[in-house]
Amino acid sequence: FMQSMIFVFAEKNAGAKVLLKQIWSEPFYYSLLLTKKSSKIVSIKDLMGKRVAFVDEKSASGYLYPQVMLKKAKIDVGKFKSVKYSGSHQASVDLLSSNQVDAIFVFGDDQQGKISAWTNFYKGNSKNQVRVVWASEPIPNDPFCVRQDFYDKFPKLTHSLMFSLIDIVANPKMKSTLSGFISANGFAPATTRQYDPVREMVRELNLKLEQE
């Protein structure tokens, strides 16, 4: 199991092969730009001169994918009134709900924001409180991988492992036993092409793999 961005590097540098992706609500998630319904921010260009919160510089939905979008739109973050790094999606929700910022970038399970950081963490009635100004393309959830040479040598064993993991998580008794190991609600088969949005993000931001 690894993060999506780490998989992109592992595939290129260590021969990783993706087999499955984790599922929470859906096999994909999104980066959302949220603002309050009362706000005059209705497009990304309206962020100029506004107070904006990101999660942190390593957060995919809370920073990295928004950076790609802002770069393509030629929007200078330096022209925002202020930029905060909240440290968590919940903290970003708290900043927006308390009017400390005008807009936040957080995760969503769908492009409409029906299930998102806002609905998960807002302490009041979350419905009809915020507007989704922008939503990213689908971002694939974190993958389960093996080495390509292992797959080539043991294809039957690998496929048996794949479908066993899917069955285990689908079984409530087994899932509770393995809850410390598997946090997802399920697994679905994955392909390397599904991680093209991650590759684009890495390429656009010229990201490098940190090595200790």
Side-chain angles (χ1 to χ4, degrees):
F1 296 93
M2 61 182 70
Q3 294 178 344
S4 297
M5 187 172 69
I6 300 301
F7 160 66
V8 169
F9 288 108
E11 181 185 52
K12 181 178 179 180
N13 299 326
K17 178 179 176 61
V18 61
L19 301 178
L20 303 169
K21 59 177 175 284
Q22 299 185 50
I23 298 175
W24 282 275
S25 295
E26 300 292 339
F28 298 90
Y29 69 105
Y30 301 84
S31 174
L32 303 178
L33 171 59
L34 302 181
T35 187
K36 285 192 171 180
K37 279 282 184 71
S38 57
S39 169
K40 294 182 179 180
I41 299 173
V42 295
S43 73
I44 56 175
K45 292 183 179 180
D46 295 330
L47 293 175
M48 297 297 194
K50 300 298 191 297
R51 302 167 299 167
V52 181
F54 298 100
V55 173
D56 62 57
E57 293 183 348
K58 292 185 178 180
S59 171
S61 59
Y63 179 79
L64 295 173
Y65 286 95
Q67 291 302 306
V68 174
M69 179 273 292
L70 293 170
K71 180 181 178 182
K72 288 183 175 181
K74 298 181 180 180
I75 293 177
D76 184 0
V77 176
K79 293 184 178 180
F80 293 170
K81 183 176 182 179
S82 66
V83 173
K84 290 181 178 290
Y85 294 92
S86 68
S88 71
H89 291 271
Q90 181 171 355
S92 288
V93 168
D94 291 341
L95 288 172
L96 182 61
S97 66
S98 61
N99 297 314
Q100 295 183 60
V101 297
D102 303 303
I104 58 175
F105 287 98
V106 289
F107 75 84
D109 287 354
D110 56 84
Q111 290 179 308
Q112 295 75 38
K114 294 177 182 177
I115 302 176
S116 68
W118 180 264
T119 61
N120 285 6
F121 300 125
Y122 181 58
K123 296 179 177 63
N125 182 359
S126 63
K127 292 184 178 180
N128 300 317
Q129 295 291 322
V130 294
R131 174 189 301 122
V132 178
V133 178
W134 168 83
S136 71
E137 293 298 314
I139 303 169
N141 287 336
D142 292 345
F144 173 72
C145 307
V146 295
R147 289 181 60 91
Q148 180 68 56
D149 55 3
F150 180 88
Y151 178 85
D152 293 340
K153 189 174 182 179
F154 305 107
K156 291 183 178 179
L157 175 61
T158 304
H159 283 97
S160 178
L161 174 61
M162 284 177 58
F163 292 108
S164 293
L165 281 172
I166 292 173
D167 291 342
I168 285 172
V169 178
N171 183 321
K173 292 182 179 180
M174 291 299 296
K175 182 180 178 181
S176 62
T177 302
L178 298 174
S179 60
F181 174 62
I182 299 173
S183 60
N185 292 330
F187 293 108
T191 66
T192 184
R193 289 292 301 274
Q194 293 173 350
Y195 291 83
D196 282 348
V198 185
R199 295 184 184 90
E200 180 188 13
M201 180 264 292
V202 169
R203 182 173 60 252
E204 287 287 341
L205 299 180
N206 193 28
L207 299 176
K208 306 296 183 184
L209 182 65
E210 293 182 5
Q211 297 182 350
E212 296 182 359

